[in-house]
Amino acid sequence: DIWAVTVQNAPVNVDAQWEGCAFSPSSEEEFIMHHLGPILRESYPDVNILVYDANREHAVEWMNYLWRDRNLDEEEENLGSDGDGDRINALDFMDGVAMQWYSDAKPSHMLDGALGTPNMHRVAEMAYFYQKRKEENMKKEEKEREKGLEEQETTKSYNLRHSSIDSTTTGIIDDNDSIMERMPILLDTEATHCSSTGYAIGDIDVSWYRAERNGHAILAQLAAGSNGWIEYNMV
């Protein structure tokens, strides 16, 4: 069974030496809303869709856009249709965020030891407040429906339940809050200690250092909020 898919591997690497397809945050959002999201939900409704899937150092910038605050005018412009007249939104299909353990530092593809964990903390914070605000707005929507408002009025609150935080949002995360259990998935999807990441292969001292750094990185990421870690070539 397939548990989840990412939209595209390394969408920010336009000149990659591997299979690639460049996306910007806005073009990925459009692709999810009009193509991948509706088709996957109809044919495989239990499969999760993870966005981004590139170096963690750019994850905050990317998710600031995808989880951005939206005003009603922008929502009316960006909402799509499922063919039956029902409105759809890219956020309806985003189940989580995929991130990789690399850096743009030179030489290329060095392992990310500087920005990775702090960015994981920030993305986790963003996910928490995104989920919290989303649920608060859904409760407001339900109260409006209970008051018997006309459908024309209640549709406006549909947009509000998809609003989110921006880079200026601050607050305190309650570790005991049940929202923590419903946050978007945060997953480290790729990491590898290969020669291109700056390590000499065959040197036993270097090999032990690589293993220690790998273990430290995994524990640090899990502690920072990641739900898991996928190693590219552990064997």
Side-chain angles (χ1 to χ4, degrees):
D1 293 339
I2 297 176
W3 170 74
V5 297
T6 65
V7 180
Q8 172 61 49
N9 172 64
V12 298
N13 293 342
V14 296
D15 58 347
Q17 301 301 310
W18 49 85
E19 296 84 353
C21 180
F23 278 107
S24 65
S26 61
S27 63
E28 181 172 84
E29 180 180 58
E30 290 290 315
F31 177 69
I32 293 170
M33 180 170 69
H34 295 295
H35 303 284
L36 180 64
I39 292 175
L40 201 61
R41 283 292 187 266
E42 180 179 359
S43 301
Y44 303 98
D46 296 328
V47 175
N48 294 290
I49 297 176
L50 307 183
V51 302
Y52 187 54
D53 201 15
N55 298 356
R56 288 196 306 256
E57 61 188 297
H58 303 299
V60 171
E61 175 186 357
W62 199 279
M63 296 316 300
N64 261 337
Y65 180 85
L66 294 179
W67 285 338
R68 69 192 181 282
D69 281 313
R70 293 165 164 82
N71 59 50
L72 294 181
D73 292 336
E74 181 186 5
E75 284 296 311
E76 291 297 334
E77 179 180 347
N78 290 340
L79 284 171
S81 171
D82 64 1
D84 296 323
D86 295 328
R87 297 183 303 174
I88 56 176
N89 187 297
L91 287 172
D92 292 331
F93 309 112
M94 297 181 193
D95 299 303
V97 187
M99 289 161 279
Q100 300 180 11
W101 186 35
Y102 308 110
S103 170
D104 291 341
K106 301 300 181 180
S108 181
H109 311 311
M110 289 291 289
L111 295 171
D112 186 355
L115 298 174
T117 299
N119 273 355
M120 186 70 248
H121 277 290
R122 182 58 179 137
V123 172
E125 179 186 41
M126 293 167 64
Y128 173 86
F129 287 109
Y130 162 73
Q131 185 68 27
K132 183 174 183 179
R133 185 167 179 175
K134 176 182 175 181
E135 293 186 12
E136 289 174 350
N137 287 326
M138 290 179 71
K139 290 179 181 179
K140 292 179 182 178
E141 179 188 55
E142 183 62 27
K143 288 182 179 179
E144 288 188 359
R145 291 187 182 280
E146 290 176 356
K147 291 178 181 179
L149 296 178
E150 296 295 330
E151 182 65 22
Q152 184 177 2
E153 295 297 323
T154 59
T155 53
K156 292 183 179 180
S157 62
Y158 173 92
N159 301 320
L160 294 178
R161 80 172 188 237
H162 289 297
S163 61
S164 60
I165 70 167
D166 59 25
S167 58
T168 63
T169 301
T170 58
I172 298 176
I173 295 178
D174 182 358
D175 291 334
N176 296 317
D177 195 332
S178 62
I179 290 177
M180 300 287 287
E181 301 175 359
R182 300 186 297 276
M183 284 169 47
I185 301 163
L186 305 177
L187 184 64
D188 284 277
T189 52
E190 183 178 322
T192 181
H193 274 288
C194 57
S195 57
S196 64
T197 58
Y199 287 96
I201 302 299
D203 186 322
I204 189 63
D205 292 330
V206 172
S207 295
W208 274 113
Y209 175 71
R210 289 165 56 202
E212 291 170 350
R213 188 181 184 194
N214 203 40
H216 181 273
I218 294 172
L219 293 175
Q221 282 299 102
L222 295 177
S226 179
N227 297 125
W229 179 283
I230 298 176
E231 189 73 15
Y232 201 10
N233 56 355
M234 180 68 80
V235 179

